[in-house]
Amino acid sequence: MASVPSLASTLQQQLADALTAALPDAGAADPLLRRSDRADYQANGILALAKKLKGNPRELAAQVTAALPAGRLIKDIEVSGPGFLNITLTDRAIVETLAARAADGEGRLGVPLKDDAGTTVIDYAQPNVAKEMHVGHLRSAVIGDAVVKILEFTGENVVRRHHIGDWGTQFGMLIQYLIEHPGALKHEGGASDGEAAMSTLNRVYKESRVLFDSDEEFKARSRDRVVALQAGDPETLELWHRFVDESKIYFHSVFDKLDMEIDDPDIVGESGYNDMLEETCRILEETGVAVRSEGALCVFFDDVKGPDGNKVPLIVKKTNGGYGYAATDLSAVRNRVQDLKADTLLYVVDARQSLHFRMVFETARRAGWLSDDVKAVQLAFGTVLGKDGKPFKTREGETVRLEDLLDEAVTRATAVVRDKADKVGLSEEEIVENGRYVGIGAVKYADLSTSAVRDYKFDLDQMVALHGDTSVYLQYAYARIQSILRKAGDAVPAAHPELELAPAERALGLHLDQFGEVLAEVGAGYEPHKLAAYLYQLASHLTTFYDQCQVLSPDNAPEVVENRLFLVELTARTLHRGMALLGIRTPERL
């Protein structure tokens, strides 16, 4: 696959070369190229150069214009205002560049792999063993999955890690209950595997909790069982594994509903770092990064203080000898840097844990595990809100179960699909399948089209709307193109660089050409919402194109039909690829 330089990058290079040729005293200069309403692009860098060289900006702009090479790229340049260059590209250059993208048979649309690819370990989708997943687990899973796909597409080596909560004092209670009630984990009939697993785990948790709170002898036995678990007692570990395995059945059922692939080898929970905890603490204490304070092993920071003005420490090891979350997180950093050879650690974690991770990262830097060459980043995300703008709860004030939310989204979406089914001739099987794709896509897109750090309102009515900034609008745009291609008969998509483009064709073509640059920006900043915005703008350009440029009109010359089919087909491929990178399906008929 040969990457295809974008029109903007080619123009940028020509302008930079012309600046150097016309103004050798200026050194390396950035033409500050951007899209413009006045022309295709505007270059604003000459004004700053004029100030630096104490020259007339319009005269310098004329010199740069004269130094630009004659060729097929630039149709017209206008010097505007204080030396701005308004640049219009040739129709031929637009179509030829798009044709080169379309010729890429590997599905990359000419998008290059980045030159400085490294290894990123991304920590996302972190449910807790023996507990139901709720709406709070949605964002880490959806955002993390999209970032993984985008980074891999750009060429990054990505290692997935699902840091599930699979360790802690509650397992002493659960395991002791299972020892005394051996049949407790048997499934009741009638439910799917995932539902049965969670129903069973819920029942065991509630029953053991009641016993733990009411029976002091059981409570004492449970606490002894925690000690046995931490000591590696074989029987205790075997029963602990049963809880973990049962929970995984449930996790996989939820992730399947989310149309996400989670592989067992990528699930490395808190327990995966147990053998490293003591060594982590020893290293921190021996190097002076951590100190003893009131019997606990702590790390202090000058800028982290409580309301009383005293420093608030990161507690690595508790006074009773137990390990805090920090010990596990720091051991995970060591493992990911030293064993997995990561140069970027990315944590998709709730913004409310930002202080904890800031302290963990700073501790890791002091210990030398993070450096200028190895960075850690928290991709913090906001809260899912209800229509009332408050944290999303049920009418009874309970946290919303993630499965219930996804099922409702699919139900609403299926009704929308069914309403249109007769016009398209969908079978019942297609209605059900597309309803799932539309419903889950609606949930994902609503999340991903919002900047991760912001809260967003969960409004299913809005999410499954056919118009506006929704995944349904994008999915219908894709399906509409497929319908046009099916109706094209003998006409085939073919680029015709010799044709003059209509304004809507130019706008669509220029936007298509930006796909690779958008992906590079999205990958560098871990910002999938910018990809969602690009795709929505692409669908909007397509709508304008439909309104102004009939594709299959009998009044069109054959080459015009072929060229317009070429434009819409490349738009469909770009929508399909972009949506797939967000983890959203694009049905062929809708």
Side-chain angles (χ1 to χ4, degrees):
M1 190 279 298
S3 63
V4 180
S6 69
L7 293 161
S9 64
T10 303
L11 180 58
Q12 171 93 5
Q13 187 60 56
Q14 288 194 10
L15 284 168
D17 292 344
L19 280 168
T20 301
L23 309 169
D25 296 337
D30 186 348
L32 298 180
L33 189 68
R34 63 177 181 82
R35 292 282 280 122
S36 172
D37 294 333
R38 300 285 301 274
D40 294 335
Y41 291 94
Q42 187 175 83
N44 299 334
I46 292 175
L47 182 59
L49 278 177
K51 291 179 179 178
K52 178 180 176 181
L53 299 175
K54 298 180 180 178
N56 182 305
R58 289 185 66 87
E59 291 179 1
L60 293 179
Q63 292 177 45
V64 172
T65 300
L68 283 167
R72 294 187 171 189
L73 181 63
I74 299 173
K75 177 181 179 180
D76 182 59
I77 299 182
E78 173 198 18
V79 178
S80 173
F84 298 154
L85 296 180
N86 292 324
I87 304 167
T88 301
L89 304 183
T90 66
D91 293 343
R92 175 175 290 277
I94 294 172
V95 176
E96 286 181 344
T97 299
L98 295 181
R101 294 198 180 285
D104 176 9
E106 298 187 27
R108 295 193 58 83
L109 303 173
V111 176
L113 297 169
K114 63 181 184 179
D115 297 326
D116 56 346
T119 296
T120 294
V121 175
I122 177 167
D123 188 328
Y124 70 107
Q126 313 104 339
N128 294 309
V129 165
K131 292 184 180 179
E132 278 190 296
M133 294 175 69
H134 53 77
V135 68
H137 291 107
L138 176 66
R139 300 209 72 186
S140 178
V142 170
I143 295 169
D145 186 55
V147 172
V148 165
K149 288 178 166 65
I150 291 163
L151 289 179
E152 288 183 333
F153 190 76
T154 65
E156 184 78 356
N157 175 40
V158 179
V159 180
R160 300 162 174 80
R161 279 293 175 266
H162 308 294
H163 191 88
I164 64 172
D166 65 352
W167 205 248
T169 55
Q170 76 271 20
F171 286 99
M173 175 186 79
L174 292 168
I175 293 168
Q176 188 61 36
Y177 185 85
L178 190 57
I179 288 173
E180 298 176 15
H181 303 79
L185 282 182
K186 288 184 179 178
H187 290 187
E188 297 176 357
S192 69
D193 287 346
E195 291 172 338
M198 196 63 249
S199 175
T200 301
L201 289 167
N202 269 337
R203 176 173 48 78
V204 171
Y205 185 86
K206 290 176 181 177
E207 291 172 359
S208 62
R209 186 82 232 183
V210 168
L211 196 57
F212 186 87
D213 291 340
S214 63
D215 186 331
E216 289 298 322
E217 291 184 359
F218 177 77
K219 183 182 290 186
R221 293 194 298 274
S222 297
R223 286 173 173 163
D224 290 341
R225 189 59 56 184
V226 174
V227 175
L229 176 64
Q230 293 175 338
D233 173 64
E235 179 193 13
T236 304
L237 282 174
E238 181 182 350
L239 295 175
W240 169 78
H241 273 296
R242 287 186 62 187
F243 279 103
V244 174
D245 291 343
E246 194 77 4
S247 295
K248 284 183 179 179
I249 294 171
Y250 164 68
F251 295 159
H252 285 303
S253 74
V254 177
F255 289 128
D256 282 345
K257 283 190 176 184
L258 264 174
D259 200 14
M260 281 176 53
E261 187 175 330
I262 301 290
D263 296 324
D264 274 353
D266 301 329
I267 300 175
V268 182
E270 296 168 355
S271 63
Y273 306 101
N274 284 341
D275 294 343
M276 300 177 66
L277 299 180
E278 185 55 40
E279 184 180 25
T280 295
C281 293
R282 178 183 59 77
I283 293 171
L284 292 173
E285 188 168 16
E286 288 179 356
T287 57
V289 173
V291 296
R292 294 284 172 177
S293 176
E294 300 179 14
L297 187 62
C298 304
V299 182
F300 289 92
F301 310 86
D302 291 338
D303 60 344
V304 182
K305 297 179 181 179
D308 57 4
N310 294 325
K311 294 179 182 178
V312 176
L314 180 71
I315 299 174
V316 184
K317 195 172 186 179
K318 303 173 185 177
T319 304
N320 64 3
Y323 300 102
Y325 285 120
T328 302
D329 288 333
L330 288 163
S331 296
V333 171
R334 288 179 55 214
N335 168 260
R336 294 166 183 183
V337 173
Q338 297 171 358
D339 299 334
L340 300 180
K341 308 302 180 186
D343 40 51
T344 301
L345 308 181
L346 184 59
Y347 294 78
V348 188
V349 183
D350 192 316
R352 289 171 290 189
Q353 297 187 47
S354 293
L355 177 59
H356 169 77
F357 279 99
R358 180 158 67 88
M359 296 164 78
V360 167
F361 296 163
E362 175 58 26
T363 299
R365 273 189 286 272
R366 293 179 187 179
W369 303 325
L370 297 177
S371 64
D372 291 341
D373 298 323
V374 183
K375 65 178 180 177
V377 179
Q378 182 193 359
L379 177 46
F381 57 82
T383 304
V384 180
L385 306 175
K387 290 182 182 180
D388 58 2
K390 298 177 181 178
F392 198 19
K393 302 282 186 181
T394 65
R395 291 181 180 177
E396 294 75 30
E398 300 293 326
T399 302
V400 179
R401 294 172 68 241
L402 183 53
E403 280 192 293
D404 291 344
L405 181 151
L406 298 177
D407 288 344
E408 178 64 17
V410 170
T411 298
R412 298 273 191 98
T414 302
V416 171
V417 173
R418 190 179 299 281
D419 186 54
K420 303 285 185 181
D422 288 342
K423 296 179 181 179
V424 189
L426 295 180
S427 67
E428 181 62 24
E429 183 180 354
E430 287 175 312
I431 291 171
V432 172
E433 182 181 74
N434 288 356
R436 180 189 174 212
Y437 293 158
V438 171
I440 298 304
V443 171
K444 289 184 176 182
Y445 187 85
D447 191 315
L448 295 170
S449 60
T450 304
S451 175
V453 74
R454 290 176 53 197
D455 300 340
Y456 80 97
K457 291 183 181 180
F458 196 93
D459 183 345
L460 275 176
D461 292 329
Q462 175 60 34
M463 289 178 184
V464 299
L466 299 177
H467 304 288
D469 190 4
T470 67
S471 68
V472 193
Y473 176 62
L474 303 183
Q475 288 168 322
Y476 266 101
Y478 176 82
R480 186 176 183 182
I481 294 174
Q482 299 309 313
S483 175
I484 289 173
L485 294 173
R486 286 192 295 270
K487 294 175 182 176
D490 294 334
V492 295
H496 285 273
E498 74 280 3
L499 293 179
E500 182 178 340
L501 297 178
E505 292 175 302
R506 288 180 57 83
L508 179 62
L510 288 167
H511 194 73
L512 282 168
D513 187 56
Q514 292 178 285
F515 184 54
E517 292 176 343
V518 169
L519 285 180
E521 181 181 356
V522 168
Y526 314 121
E527 298 173 303
H529 70 280
K530 291 185 177 179
L531 174 56
Y534 169 85
L535 295 172
Y536 173 64
Q537 291 162 5
L538 179 60
S540 299
H541 280 300
L542 183 68
T543 299
T544 303
F545 169 84
Y546 283 144
D547 291 341
Q548 298 180 11
C549 305
Q550 271 197 292
V551 178
L552 300 178
S553 170
D555 296 332
N556 290 341
E559 61 270 21
V560 172
V561 173
E562 291 176 350
N563 200 59
R564 289 180 176 175
L565 284 172
F566 159 73
L567 285 172
V568 296
E569 184 190 48
L570 184 57
T571 300
R573 290 171 59 188
T574 305
L575 281 170
H576 175 76
R577 172 56 66 188
M579 295 286 271
L581 292 175
L582 295 178
I584 300 173
R585 306 268 187 161
T586 44
E588 297 287 310
R589 299 198 307 157
L590 203 57

